[in-house]
Amino acid sequence: MKYSAAKIFLEGLFGNRGWGKAWREPEPKKNYDVIIIGGGGHGLSTAYYLSNVYNIRNVAVLEKGWLGSGNIGRNTTIIRSNYLLPENEPFYEFSLKLWEGLEQDTNYNSMVSQRGVINIFHSDPQRDAFVRRGNAMLLSGADADLLDENALRKLCPYLDFENARFPVKGALMQKRGGTVRHDAVAWGYARGADMKGVDIIQNCNVEGFIIKNGVCSGVRTSKGDIRAKKVASCVAGSSSQVMSTAGIRLPIESHVLQAFVSEGLKPILDNVITFGAGHFYVSQSDKGGLVFGGDLDGYNSYAQRGNLPVVEDVCEGGMAIMPMIGRARLLRMWGGVMDMSMDGSPFIDRTHIDGLYFNGGWCYGGFKATPASGYCYAHLLATDSPHPVARGYKLDRFRTGSLIDEKGVGAQPNLH
Amino acid sequence: MIIPHPHLGPRDACEFVYKGDAELVFRPERVAPVDYDTFHNYLYLRQNPAGAHKELWYHEYGDRSWLVVTRNTQTHEILKVEFASEYLSGQKDRKSNV
Amino acid sequence: MFRLENRGLINREKRLNFSFNGKKLHGYEGDTLASALLANGNHLVGRSFKYHRPRGIFSSGSEEPSALIQLGLGANTEPNIRATTIQLFNDLVANSQNHFGPLEWDFMRVNDFLSPFLSAGFYYKTFMWPKSFWEKIYEPIIRKAAGLGKLSGEPDPSTYDKGFLHCDLLIIGAGPSGLLSALMAARGGAKVIIADEDFLLGGSLNGDHTQINNDTGVNWVKKTIEELISFKNVRLMPKTTIYGAFDHGIFGALEIKTNFDRIKSDKPRQVLWRIYAKQSVLCSGSSERSLLFGNNDRPAIMLSRSVRQYCNRWGIIPGKKISIYTNNDDGWITAKDLKEAGCNVVMVIDERPDIIAPIKNVDYRLGKKVVETKGSLRISSIRLDDGTKVETDCLAVSGGFNPNVHLTCHERGRPQWQEKNQCFIPGKTPKGMEVVGAASGVFDLNSIFEETTLKMKKILSYLGYKHRKVIKLTADHKPYNVSAFSKSLAKGKVWIDLQNDVTIKDIKIAVQEGFHSVELLKRYTTLGMATDQGKTSNVLGLSVLSILKNKPIEEVGTTIYRPPFTPVPIGAFAGRSRGKHFKPFRLTPSHQWAEQRNAVFVETGNWLRAQWFPLAGERTWRESVDREVLQTRESVGICDVTTLGKIDIKGRDAGAFLNFVYANNFGKLAVGKVRYGLMLRDDGIAFDDGTTARFSEDHFVMTTTTANAVTVFRHLEFCRQCLKPAWDVHLLSTTDHWAQFAIAGPNSRALLSEILDPKIDISNESFPFMACGKVSIFNGIEARLFRISFSGELAYELALPRRYASSFMEHIFEIGKKFNLVPYGTEALGVMRIEKGHAAGNELNGQTTANNLGLGKMVSKLNDCIGNTMSEREKIDGEAVLKLVGFAPTNKMQSLVAGSHFISKGKPAKLANDEGWMSSVAFSPMLNKSIGLGFIKAGDQRFGEKVDSVNPLNKEVIEVEITSPHFFDPKGDRLRG
Amino acid sequence: MDKKISPTTPLSGLHSVIGNVTLNEVNPEIFCISIPKEMNKKVASEFKRILKFDIPIIGQSSLNKNSTIRLIRNSLDQFFILFEKASEVAGVMNSLEKYFYITEQSDAWVGIEISGKSSYSCLERICPLDLSTESFGVNTAVRTLMEHLNVLIIKTTEESFLLLSASSSAKSFLNAVETSAENIA
């Protein structure tokens, strides 16, 4: 069923009775070409691009809970491609381009809103680093603007320019960055993949792999064994758990990242703002809530909830940079499980087991990567060679030393 | 969270700095010929269990001790706290095996 | 007037003026804004989120979904304040929210007529054509329409504070079960905190006409509180919401400190407490829920218990013709109390056919349902399923009670279904938490008292306190009975979430489209995502879902409540850490001295350092910096370098330890000598650098960079305690003890000689480059002297006890006059280090290796030291090794820009041709041109080559020549002189 | 020119009374004593011999007879010793130096003594520790985190505490304490 304004009008007139299921709810078949483990953003986008671009349609997505129940369902919805390193920037720029055409692609309004992402700097060294980054973005074909203090004042007069502990000296802005309605991304991809015949199977827990002589030929699930030529893990925070059943240890730790939303407010914040001298980033959703976050809690966790010190730290950062939000009230806080890698960059790679593929290590940056991650993973699954923009995302890079460490903090996941 | 320090009693986790997997105390020694794989595995690969996890916490705003804390990563329940040095001396065989 | 005489817990002596939408009104002390509005006959207070339907006061507590107002004016204005929880104060100003035009005539109510087209998820299906219209046309309209209240856009003028409390027992809620728990714990000797969000402790007892042990409930509350106050071990915290339960018995609490004169007070408006409790008792009571019928959202349709509370606690007649619609016994209590108060109760409708009406002096219908209502800005009539039409201006609805289980979910416990009372009760609770009273699904007072007594005995003995006998409490309460949820869907426009405008139809569509998992439903319809977090809507929504899925409600599941229980201001979470107090300041020992000389300061980490010292007549910062550099290089300058981390390393194995933590060899450093040290991380990347001096066999003094002082110390402690536990090594930070000054320039030795105590010889022979020693200055002040140089000049660093630093600066500048001594700041320091090609923070950015920095040869190949092994990985330095080299513009007039990238001549500026980047730049007054340091592929083999330094951010390209990084005095004659 | 430089203190001898809280700057002479590995077993006896009083357990402090010297045990192998009178330093330290590693710390710290009825309510706003008598008796001495700062807090009497924090951030620390005192006044 194609969604359109006319369809909405007609349905409205006749009591909205004609809306069909957004996707089927099939039972698993015995055999697939590709099984994707994980019905989150990346898993669903992989299925979407496999079926829509690479024409591989005998695909199942296995989700242990409900569709989109992972981090795609709880994040701060920011998209951007303001990366520094040559292994990252082209990938995220590819992702941003896919975002820009997503709605027309999937016939689903995921409300991609290019409101502009502003990273504030507070010192000369920070400015130097941002200049380097902005230039790397431009050299890669992305957009970037350097704002001096005056330009930033015009754009964001509410920032604390007068009484700041760390002076606001300017910002690096990516105008094409912005926000997206996160759940809609999962739904749009799910619907698009389903229409091409992909089976999305919810409440199906993968308990292990069928591996013989170094070849993976399927998975053991709560709904029985399912065979496939290729099995693709795409489970973010659960990566270590799932892959350990194949005997694989990963350069990944699972950490909790909290996010916060305020009560609904009339529009006051047009852009995405990132505070450079504290841990705080914020945007205002179309519904009016201030959606914000900060640092990881900093310890390994699968608990999907965080603790107070980080909540306070994030709000301190918020009040330091924009003291006008003091009277906005925090409505909800939640925690997601982040698959933090050892250099802060992800993996899209084959494993040493034939037929078993791995996508993970997205850290807290997985949301903005959703389209490109799926596209590149689909490319790898379809062609058995890495997509050109994802060549760096190898599992063995720590052994060889090809690190992709944007933040420069080394093998300590909670600092990335 | 509250970490029950072996000597100082219950302390808010905000007094501590987290490092991660307690396996990091078992650093391999460089001997010729250099075994890069062992170093790689030591530095980069993690068990990352969903359950009891031995991990390193540094009491930065306290007695400056490095502690090995056994904590459940699903419930955050703390099961055991030892000084890193104590933990190491309880694992002497382990150390020489690396 | 709508106020009853002689009824209610308000102070009629104290009249309070307030305004609503500009209308001047009054209430009394003890009122909430909601009760005061109702007392003035005002039901309509706002508009709903999506359809802009008129909204009235629905409840009397923090579950309120509808009566959200904009409180206060100007910078003090606060959005989305629940009128039901705000304690009335004099001169309160309230305005309604979310309407265009007057509240009574909101132009946006057109949405209501368009509602068939605005059903659940409609926006996902449209607004996509043409592509550009989303951001230009549709989204701005949606954004403008969305949201409820407004922020002022000005800095929050209030102050907030935080604090920490500790107790044996935290009691959450001061209703009957909470007060009894507190009393038992207090008498037993436990350290107790009892907190309640209301300004009046007592919970439901304040709004009920209950008898407890032959006294009124209100009197029992009063006596109990009096007794509690008399205990030293009890802290009563009214106006305090426990907003969250966190790991290991930590609770978040928000205490409202000021309501009166809130604008004038300079004291914190709210205090955010972190409460550490060994045990907790959740006594949060229950919230009433509504019933589902057509147009069940009109103003003056209220929760039944709230209507009763307004009548009993605030002495208010909420309507002239009140009807009551219930499915349980509690609705009848409302009827009884209203009658007693003299209100006109026109009808009681009870869904249950087979009960005996508890009161007879009222018109009632059993086994009937309300199916439709009428009224535009306030309900005017209802229609029953038998067609009966009843004129009514206030409908009190009771659909049963939901225990307030929220805090039990904060550690992801899932509530369980209790069939008997048709509600969710706590499942697994956070460790150490017990739930009593209505919150645990027990609804009659006698059972509550019994249950509380039993559970408290257990808790007290667990905590190690005695249980002292408490008189048995008996109340005139009857067991509670409620009918099961309807098995058929109500017809018409039936609201579930009053604030977000989620109706039964929306749930139908969501299920029809496959969004039938509870979480998907919530996300697709926004059910339960309003500011009440679904307190009034979740269970109703589940009951509808259960009908649609034809599954019992317990199988449909429930969503998890997340903190906070009620919304908490971001300002309160930040406390006092804002503005200049966001992070503490660290000041150098010469700070005051520098301040007096008009120094310009710069933030480096938490430190404030003098950046330069402008003199009268200097117009630009460059003038000052150039002068400081020239004067230093010409004669002598002094710079406060205290901020560098200083670590005392002592012990028998200190030398071996340094050899392990530094990548270069430290084994053979002689006593009285200093060496440059490069520290790697274990992954082989450069971590930090500095110098380490050896004062004796077992005593070294290490310096670190300012930025890494804390992390290096932590890392060293890790190496000491976890990697080399058998070694005798001791670490201590002495950064703050020693004031340290760099004294640089050709005359530095001469200047030093003037202050050193006479017998100390610092001639080049006895105190050569890289020497160190203990000295004394100014007649016996112990100091440490290092002959090291960051500037490339003949230079020393002198460390003296911090206490003498101010006086030292005064004196040395007096003495230094004859040498034309100049103070220099971090800018001049930076210029001189770039002139000398020294790497600093911009180069040691956590991504560069020793090889990149040109220090590859230093890294030990033999020893085991941190980082050397992994630094040998084949690809760690990249394909062609980036090398730190110097850059100078071929056109001397051009200024280099840090952050530019390098592209070989003739190649287009794009990623594939990117060869490196400029890390630091400065204007060199010695060379009279702009110079830079940067990393470029194979740079050390390309001296003399010209490349483009591109800065597309500024659309500029500068041709630069690759040079040695040592721009000035490359052989180092000056520093050895 | 008189070749003599003079000392200053981080808070220039602060004395202030805010509501029921009194704040005074104090400047004890402070030394850090680290225990060489081989001395671990003899620490108690050596200290006792030199100082003539018992060493405390970790997190506690003990005093000499005249209460002019306070020994604080920071951790297993580290002590702080505080002298009220500079005149007593040399004698004690010369003896200790023979057996232990000594590092002077006096100028690394700023000392604020807080006393008065409201000391507890004042500290409640910044100190995460339970300072009640049951869990924090007189002479307890531990480090903790207050307003982003590392603070060594010592309970000197039932109604007074000595707070030691880094001298470079003395003003911010004072501000933290004063703000608390004002907020509760």
Side-chain angles (χ1 to χ4, degrees), chain C residues 161-166 191 235 257 267-268 271 273 276 576-577 581-587 607 648 650-652 698 720 725-728 730-734 736-737 754-756 778-779 781 800-804 806-808 811 814, chain D residues 1-10 29 32 34-38 77-78 80 101-109 124-132 134 147-149 166-169 171-172 175-177 179-180 182-185:
Chain C
D161 208 353
K162 289 192 216 171
F164 306 86
L165 299 174
H166 302 259
K191 203 170 148 189
R235 184 171 184 138
K257 276 289 183 189
K267 301 279 184 243
V271 178
W273 297 101
Y276 302 82
R576 14 164 138 157
S577 293
H581 299 300
F582 171 50
K583 289 280 149 74
F585 285 100
R586 296 182 77 180
L587 304 180
W607 289 98
D648 245 44
K650 286 181 171 159
R652 261 191 341 269
D698 58 6
R720 180 182 88 99
W727 289 4
D728 184 43
H730 304 272
L731 305 170
L732 189 68
S733 165
T734 58
D736 279 31
H737 179 76
E754 301 256 343
I755 60 163
L756 283 171
F778 288 109
N779 284 322
I781 307 296
L800 60 151
R802 189 261 309 138
R803 68 181 78 175
Y804 297 110
S806 272
S807 175
F808 168 82
H811 280 70
E814 194 56 40
Chain D
M1 159 128 201
D2 176 21
K3 275 184 94 180
K4 202 152 182 216
I5 54 177
S6 49
T8 56
T9 68
E29 300 291 321
C32 174
S34 301
I35 315 302
K37 288 261 172 210
E38 71 274 12
D77 62 354
Q78 193 190 72
F80 271 9
Y101 301 117
I102 306 293
T103 308
E104 197 184 346
Q105 282 277 285
S106 311
D107 290 11
W109 301 89
E124 208 166 71
R125 297 290 175 98
I126 49 175
C127 177
L129 303 176
D130 181 1
L131 301 177
S132 64
E134 307 87 74
E147 296 294 302
H148 310 282
L149 294 167
S167 56
S168 60
S169 43
K171 296 215 165 111
S172 288
N175 177 269
V177 179
T179 304
S180 297
E182 277 155 14
N183 282 351
I184 59 159

Side-chain angles (χ1 to χ4, degrees), chain C residues 642-712:
Chain C
T642 304
T643 62
L644 296 177
K646 305 180 210 67
I647 302 170
D648 245 44
I649 304 175
K650 286 181 171 159
R652 261 191 341 269
D653 300 308
F657 184 73
L658 284 163
N659 224 11
F660 177 64
V661 298
Y662 275 132
N664 52 323
N665 198 307
F666 261 81
K668 289 180 185 137
L669 182 66
V671 171
K673 288 288 182 191
V674 191
R675 185 170 291 173
Y676 172 80
L678 175 67
M679 215 179 271
L680 304 180
R681 299 190 307 232
D682 223 346
D683 66 354
I685 302 288
F687 173 27
D688 197 61
D689 69 349
T691 58
T692 290
R694 189 169 203 171
F695 281 95
S696 71
E697 276 306 314
D698 58 6
H699 180 204
F700 294 79
V701 173
M702 174 189 279
T703 64
T704 74
T705 62
T706 302
N708 292 330
V710 172
T711 43
V712 167

Side-chain angles (χ1 to χ4, degrees), chain C residues 8 16 70 112 119 174 241 295 315 335 349 394 501 590 650 667 686 709 726 764 798 834 846 951 970:
Chain C
L16 301 169
Q70 184 88 31
D112 194 15
S119 60
T241 306
N295 289 307
I349 303 111
C394 176
D501 284 326
S590 65
K650 286 181 171 159
N764 208 23
L798 178 70
I834 293 171
N951 179 16

